[in-house]
Amino acid sequence: MSTDDVRERAEAWLADDPDPVARAEIRALLDGLPGSAGELADRFAGPLTFGTAGLRGRLRAGPNGMNLAVVTRAAAGLVGWLSGTGADGPLVIGYDARHGSRAFAERTAEVAQGAGRAALLLPRPLPTPVLAYAVRALDAVAGVMVTASHNPPQDNGYKVYLGAGLGGTSGAGAQIVPPADVEIEAAIQAVDKLAAVELGGPGRVLGEEIIDGYVHRAAATLPAGPRALTVAYTPLHGVGGDVLAAAFERAGFPAPHVVAEQALPDPDFPTVAFPNPEEKGAMDRLLALATATGADLAIANDPDADRCAVAVPGPDGSWTPLTGDQLGAALADQLIRRGAPGTYATTIVSSSLLRAICAARGVPYGETLTGFKWIVRADDDLAYGYEEALGYCVAPGLVRDKDGITAALLVAELAAGLKAEGRTLADRLAELDVEFGVHRTDQLSVRVDDLADIGRAMSHLRGAPPATLLGEPMTFEDLRPENDILRLSTASARVVIRPSGTEPKLKAYLEVVRPATAATLTGDRAAASEAVAALKDETAKALGLIPHSGTV
């Protein structure tokens, strides 16, 4: 794009941007030409695309960023699409504590009101699961959650949920799926001048009763039972702290010990390099608190509290974070032991352990593509769903999405019950390993500078798949044209490879299963870990990855 083209696009944007601060930001870049040409070109390379995860991007002026103009256009497109469906009901809107979240939520309410649709605004920054709950509880036509979940502090996002009238039984209060995302994107692109978008009043701000309703029903998902448990907890500077504390109190658990420096919402996330409990170092302060308080369990939510991370203590006083697959299997096993009826679902990239548990226990099993928008639609009669990225839907009738609050309650119930028997969550995981074999999972994630490298790696593997993995004959499945996914399987190992849907990454999900006995479990686990490390090396070679392709 030439400098003249960038200038022309920027001037046209300035004439329509309703935010004086954003206009000043673009004007300063225009005044800085030609030195600012690269930055302007990036901001005007194209608009943020509205996909199945809604919008997500950096907070900055211009069409390729999250700002008031982009949100106004998105809200107008969404409200227009809703009108076109003929569906009745209010639009309920939630927001987290990130920079810009409240302003974006309030603008969405004004756009809805201006179009004649009632807007209901959650009373304060709250977890994403509360918004998903509110869509169902208030019989809303749809919901909007302004959040970027566990992204860096310079990002924000915009997620859309559909009500029962548009989403059906399994999609009521769930994230949108095709073709709704494509249709909404088209409606957004059809919005002409923002000056022509009519703005109404602020809508109705809901009272605390919507939060009380969620907390009451979340606590009610647990049966009566032991509650003596010491928990260390962090909301990672996010919005989960108050709601989780209220839910624990309502369910009868002692108040968790909370990491003081991370207890209150802070959009800058000052104590962590990256506000995601999966990232190295993110749980360091939590584990230090867990050690200092003699905790039985350490729990972390991500900033919008839709994910839940757990660590367990070892006999030597060290702490071990559980993988999403380990916790996912343990929570499923707990619900099955309770007799919770329905289908237990996960995705094609998660561990095969859930399938084995369901087969042994005689309960229905479902498997979907990646993403909670698919997991919660695995069956109308869903009992439970999880994904390996620390997401768990443990009460689908309450929240048809991943929910880090109810997941934390369920793991606390499990741990308290085991503690009353003189056992631990680590003991339960050992039982599962002995019964079903050690299911060791890992991930090979390759970030690229050139997106074409991803296509080349996938083509390389399609053209020359290996005959064996870990010395065993290999079955090769290509899921095209429906999905750009490759699946490699042997008697004891599995690899699922796909491009990331949100980042410039190629991802391979690895699993090795090894038999185990109680007497040899330590060695069996070590052998499984060695095997999955070898599988990672073989997968990298099979993809033809070379050093400059990215960082593994």
Side-chain angles (χ1 to χ4, degrees), residues 96-460:
D96 65 10
R98 284 178 177 266
H99 294 294
S101 288
R102 180 169 182 167
F104 296 160
E106 290 174 343
R107 174 52 58 95
T108 300
E110 292 169 348
V111 171
Q113 292 279 135
R117 186 174 296 275
L120 306 177
L121 209 63
L122 294 188
R124 52 187 169 88
L126 287 164
T128 293
V130 176
L131 181 278
Y133 159 78
V135 173
R136 295 170 68 94
L138 300 173
D139 197 23
V141 67
V144 168
M145 182 67 193
V146 182
T147 180
S149 191
H150 54 265
N151 274 38
Q154 62 268 26
D155 290 357
N156 214 326
Y158 198 87
K159 297 173 69 173
V160 174
Y161 293 76
L162 295 182
L166 295 174
T169 303
S170 63
Q175 297 178 49
I176 57 172
V177 293
D181 59 330
V182 176
E183 295 169 358
I184 294 171
E185 169 69 12
I188 292 170
Q189 294 304 316
V191 175
D192 191 14
K193 297 295 185 183
L194 295 183
V197 175
E198 187 171 347
L199 301 180
R204 179 163 69 90
V205 178
L206 297 167
E208 292 290 311
E209 64 273 7
I210 190 67
I211 306 165
D212 293 341
Y214 168 82
V215 168
H216 173 75
R217 291 196 59 193
T221 62
L222 303 187
R227 293 293 189 264
L229 194 72
T230 302
V231 173
Y233 170 72
T234 179
L236 280 182
H237 299 294
V239 295
D242 289 348
V243 178
L244 181 133
F248 266 57
E249 180 182 8
R250 185 72 62 89
F253 290 103
H257 299 278
V258 182
V259 178
E261 309 95 314
Q262 299 172 338
L264 298 178
D266 189 329
D268 295 316
F269 309 108
T271 69
V272 291
F274 200 84
N276 181 351
E278 289 184 290
E279 293 291 326
K280 185 176 177 61
M283 293 173 63
D284 285 355
R285 292 171 188 252
L286 171 64
L287 300 185
L289 177 65
T291 299
T293 57
D296 302 303
L297 207 60
I299 298 176
N301 286 136
D302 67 338
D304 70 327
D306 66 349
R307 288 173 171 83
C308 177
V310 169
V312 296
D316 62 352
S318 64
W319 285 83
T320 301
L322 302 184
T323 68
D325 284 317
Q326 287 175 311
L327 185 57
L331 295 181
D333 181 66
Q334 175 71 358
L335 289 172
I336 292 170
R337 288 170 186 261
R338 258 210 234 149
T343 296
Y344 289 71
T346 189
T347 73
I348 61 172
V349 304
S350 298
S351 170
S352 60
L353 178 54
L354 180 58
R355 178 195 291 272
I357 293 172
C358 289
R361 307 286 193 261
V363 300
Y365 170 76
E367 193 169 285
T368 73
L369 295 173
T370 55
F372 254 87
K373 59 185 179 287
W374 301 119
I375 293 171
V376 300
R377 290 176 170 88
D379 197 315
D380 287 352
D381 187 27
L382 186 71
Y384 169 78
Y386 95 91
E387 64 179 359
E388 47 75 38
L390 305 181
Y392 315 94
C393 177
V394 306
L398 177 69
V399 172
R400 203 79 176 186
D401 195 23
K402 54 185 176 290
D403 181 351
I405 306 294
T406 51
L409 286 173
L410 180 57
V411 73
E413 179 216 350
L414 169 57
L418 290 167
K419 182 179 180 180
E421 300 170 358
R423 299 190 298 147
T424 67
L425 181 52
D427 293 331
R428 174 56 54 80
L429 292 171
E431 292 172 2
L432 293 174
D433 280 354
V434 171
E435 184 176 0
F436 297 103
V438 179
H439 287 63
R440 186 66 74 232
T441 57
D442 200 356
Q443 190 179 129
L444 171 68
S445 182
V446 184
R447 183 178 292 274
V448 300
D449 297 323
D450 182 357
L451 287 176
D453 282 344
I454 292 177
R456 282 190 283 268
M458 296 289 279
S459 295
H460 179 86

Side-chain angles (χ1 to χ4, degrees), residues 482-536:
E482 289 84 5
N483 299 284
D484 189 12
I485 297 173
L486 298 174
R487 186 156 50 190
L488 292 64
S489 306
T490 74
S492 65
R494 185 214 63 193
V495 180
V496 180
I497 304 168
R498 69 176 182 94
S500 170
T502 57
E503 299 177 274
K505 286 183 177 180
L506 179 64
K507 292 187 173 182
Y509 301 84
L510 317 167
E511 180 179 42
V512 168
V513 184
R514 289 287 186 268
T517 69
T520 61
L521 183 55
T522 299
D524 298 330
R525 285 174 165 173
S529 295
E530 291 174 4
V532 83
L535 183 62
K536 181 184 284 190

